[in-house]
Amino acid sequence: FRAKLFGASLIIIGVALISFTFLINPNHPDLFFIKLAFAIIIIGAFMMLLITEESVPRRISDAQIEGNLVFVKKMTKELKLLGNATFLPKSPVLSEERVYIPAEKTTGASLPYIDDQMVLNLKTNGEVLGLSVPPAGLMLLKEIETEGSFQDSDLETIEEKLQTFVGMNILSGVTLKKEGDRWKLELEHQQPCCADTDTPTCNQYPCAACSAVLTAITQASKEKIQILETTHNGNKTIFQLKIGGVP
């Protein structure tokens, strides 16, 4: 946004400089100022159209994330997983944050032993008890963390740090507040969330932006975070969370 604003300002300055040059001497305008004005306009157009242009790798990355969302959604449907997701922090057996989706929709149920190798949690008879996958927004969060790590924050200061998502134009608003024994996370998207509100996708495997925020909170709290419920209100996605106390 700042690049576009600065680019537009340069274009306006360039046009004004050309007008001023012809106004002073309409018959013999100063060629130096005309060339300077055109250079300013070109730089402004460059900033508006090229610097803010979405790169091919970024478009490929977005498509890849969307593909992961579709795949996990199909997996949860095929495996008949009904439970809400729990975000797991890094640990001696987990090199990065994970999302565990259980088969049953129960609150406070004990989680199985989960390490980097575990994907499907199975009973001895082969029945699937749950699915463990990386969060959809993990790579996005790593890009954001070039501005500073969320692991150095805590639950008292994390809301201020989460404004990075707003500053980088990923979300329009982020609030995190404690309400009784749960936490309310409200995320305002620039357009309606990509998740289908008619399915439990947001409860089980949130989109990249929501997932990146939830993973950042997991890093800051260093606790397991369980999604209790999710609601949508226009461009807003509201999560009710249990932070800590998940066995």
Side-chain angles (χ1 to χ4, degrees):
F1 175 77
R2 288 192 292 268
K4 287 184 178 181
L5 182 62
F6 188 59
S9 301
L10 287 178
I11 291 174
I12 293 171
I13 292 171
V15 172
L17 184 57
I18 290 175
S19 301
F20 183 72
T21 302
F22 277 97
L23 184 63
I24 292 177
N25 193 345
N27 296 324
H28 300 285
D30 192 321
L31 291 179
F32 170 77
F33 285 108
I34 292 177
K35 291 178 180 178
L36 178 62
F38 274 110
I40 291 173
I41 291 172
I42 290 171
I43 293 172
F46 177 85
M47 293 196 68
M48 289 189 68
L49 301 177
L50 298 183
I51 292 180
T52 58
E53 179 77 14
E54 189 176 48
S55 65
V56 172
R58 173 64 184 273
R59 292 197 295 272
I60 292 173
S61 175
D62 290 346
Q64 206 170 32
I65 290 173
E66 185 65 26
N68 289 343
L69 287 168
V70 172
F71 174 75
V72 174
K73 181 178 177 180
K74 286 183 178 179
M75 284 280 289
T76 55
K77 183 178 180 180
E78 291 295 325
L79 297 174
K80 297 181 174 57
L81 303 181
L82 303 176
N84 290 356
T86 297
F87 281 70
L88 308 176
K90 284 199 284 190
S91 69
V93 295
L94 279 177
S95 60
E96 61 183 15
E97 291 75 22
R98 297 290 285 265
V99 174
Y100 180 75
I101 307 169
E104 301 298 330
K105 190 171 183 177
T106 55
T107 302
S110 297
L111 299 181
Y113 174 85
I114 299 173
D115 58 20
D116 285 332
Q117 307 303 317
M118 200 272 270
V119 177
L120 289 178
N121 176 31
L122 303 173
K123 279 186 176 181
T124 53
N125 62 1
E127 181 184 351
V128 177
L129 295 176
L131 176 69
S132 170
V133 289
L138 187 59
M139 294 305 297
L140 173 61
L141 182 61
K142 288 179 180 179
E143 291 295 325
I144 294 171
E145 284 190 310
T146 56
E147 300 290 325
S149 175
F150 288 91
Q151 298 182 32
D152 300 329
S153 304
D154 53 36
L155 284 177
E156 301 298 324
T157 60
I158 186 63
E159 184 178 7
E160 181 179 350
K161 189 70 178 292
L162 289 174
Q163 302 312 311
T164 306
F165 286 85
V166 180
M168 296 184 73
N169 214 28
I170 297 171
L171 294 168
S172 298
V174 180
T175 59
L176 176 67
K177 299 186 182 301
K178 188 172 185 181
E179 298 183 344
D181 60 348
R182 59 175 59 187
W183 291 76
K184 179 182 178 181
L185 174 66
E186 188 172 301
L187 305 178
E188 184 175 356
H189 298 263
Q190 295 173 351
Q191 55 189 4
C193 185
C194 63
D196 184 353
T197 56
D198 294 330
T199 68
T201 304
C202 285
N203 288 338
Q204 295 187 313
Y205 199 66
C207 70
C210 295
S211 177
V213 173
L214 288 163
T215 306
I217 298 171
T218 304
Q219 289 184 357
S221 66
K222 300 173 181 59
E223 298 275 4
K224 298 171 184 175
I225 297 179
Q226 185 179 33
I227 298 176
L228 300 177
E229 60 179 295
T230 308
T231 56
H232 295 268
N233 182 11
N235 289 1
K236 292 183 179 180
T237 304
I238 303 164
F239 292 91
Q240 298 292 335
L241 306 173
K242 180 178 182 181
I243 300 179
V246 182

